[in-house]
Amino acid sequence: MRRLLPVTDMTEPETAGREWSLDELADAYAYPELPSAGAAGAGGEAGDGAWLRANMVSSLDGAGQHDGRSQPLSSEEDMRIFGTLRALADVVVVGAETVRLEGYRPARAREAFAARREAAGQGPAPAIAVVSASLNLDFSLPLFTEPLVPTLVLTGAAAPAERVAAARAAGAEVLVAGDGAGVEPARARAVLAERGLRRQLTEGGPRLLGQFVAADALDELCLTVSPTMTSGAAQRIAGGPAVAVPTRFQVASVLEQDGFLFTRYRRI
């Protein structure tokens, strides 16, 4: 692994080219110190005290998936970073379609991060929060029947009552984050922050990430650029409504291994 950016914090020669430890990765991807809820943000507005980062992978030609899944674009080191980002988060926010396509399972406790999580006041593993308007989910899956911490379901106030009841009967906690059937992105992050889940990570899919971007609710993007070409008509990493003016991000760091670029951008 090589650190390409920031240039003011270059990797020491003895660390270049070798596999970084999980502690080194955790330090490189640590969340910033978070302000208290209600404190003014960069634009002067009151914030919710949360930090929402996304973790996505893209091919060189812009595909966010291949045959409906992100795994073909990934690598062993990408999965180590994926696991590290999860281990640093209070909650992992994911869309219902991604849960179905990727076969999501509960987050697990990892001994390598136990002391770090305890020092940060976190539980043994992050909660998974599934965003769904219809709650058309299979509540017999391990995500709902075997979680270390209860799985959360984010939905709107007008969600089908029978599906809300089914989710609760399966042990999930249903959180309302919208006045209609769907979830309002900014409200979703605020609802989670109110529960103390302030270090937030979304793993997509593209539709959910697009909604967070359109709502100006995304603070950081961790993007793996895979040295692959897919062609075809695969989705980009974000889809859905366009923003009136493109949201600007600045590069925070770039790591490289085996042709994969592990980039991190923060909203300006």
Side-chain angles (χ1 to χ4, degrees):
M1 175 79 75
R2 294 187 300 154
R3 177 181 278 121
L4 305 183
L5 285 171
V7 293
T8 56
D9 187 23
M10 295 295 287
T11 302
E12 294 297 328
E14 63 267 20
T15 66
R18 67 161 174 79
E19 182 176 89
W20 282 21
S21 70
L22 292 177
D23 273 338
E24 288 172 317
L25 288 177
D27 288 341
Y29 284 94
Y31 278 82
E33 184 174 348
L34 301 181
S36 59
E45 71 280 2
D48 53 21
W51 184 270
L52 175 63
R53 65 169 32 150
N55 181 32
M56 303 293 283
V57 61
S58 172
S59 68
L60 294 176
D61 52 341
Q65 53 189 235
H66 184 66
D67 287 339
R69 301 179 66 241
S70 59
Q71 190 278 330
L73 305 179
S74 186
S75 68
E76 182 177 345
E77 191 61 25
D78 183 46
M79 294 310 298
R80 292 181 79 235
I81 292 174
F82 172 92
T84 299
L85 293 177
R86 278 196 164 198
L88 296 174
D90 296 326
V91 61
V92 178
V93 187
V94 62
E97 185 64 12
T98 298
V99 166
R100 290 187 284 264
L101 290 174
E102 301 278 359
Y104 260 59
R105 299 184 63 85
R108 58 189 178 91
R110 299 181 62 186
E111 182 61 31
F113 297 99
R116 187 180 291 263
R117 289 188 66 86
E118 183 178 2
Q122 297 172 299
I128 304 292
V130 183
V131 176
S132 178
S134 67
L135 275 71
N136 180 23
L137 299 162
D138 183 354
F139 294 117
S140 68
L141 293 175
L143 179 61
F144 300 100
T145 62
E146 302 174 8
L148 189 62
V149 293
T151 294
L152 309 174
V153 176
L154 290 164
T155 193
E162 68 278 7
R163 297 305 297 164
V164 171
R168 288 175 172 153
E173 295 186 29
V174 179
L175 305 179
V176 174
D179 294 328
V183 168
E184 300 165 18
R187 190 164 164 186
R189 60 175 276 164
V191 165
L192 293 170
E194 288 169 1
R195 295 174 61 88
L197 305 175
R198 301 169 63 207
R199 302 174 189 88
Q200 300 172 3
L201 169 68
T202 181
E203 296 170 351
R207 183 166 173 264
L208 179 62
L209 179 55
Q211 291 172 343
F212 280 126
V213 172
D216 197 27
L218 185 71
D219 297 300
E220 180 180 333
L221 173 64
C222 297
L223 176 65
T224 295
V225 181
S226 171
T228 56
M229 298 281 282
T230 68
S231 190
Q235 283 184 295
R236 296 156 46 193
I237 65 167
V243 297
V245 178
T247 306
R248 285 293 304 275
F249 285 70
Q250 64 183 4
V251 64
S253 65
V254 180
L255 307 177
E256 184 274 337
Q257 182 165 314
D258 298 331
F260 284 80
L261 296 180
F262 306 102
T263 71
R264 190 163 53 93
Y265 292 86
R266 291 186 175 182
R267 183 176 56 181
I268 297 175

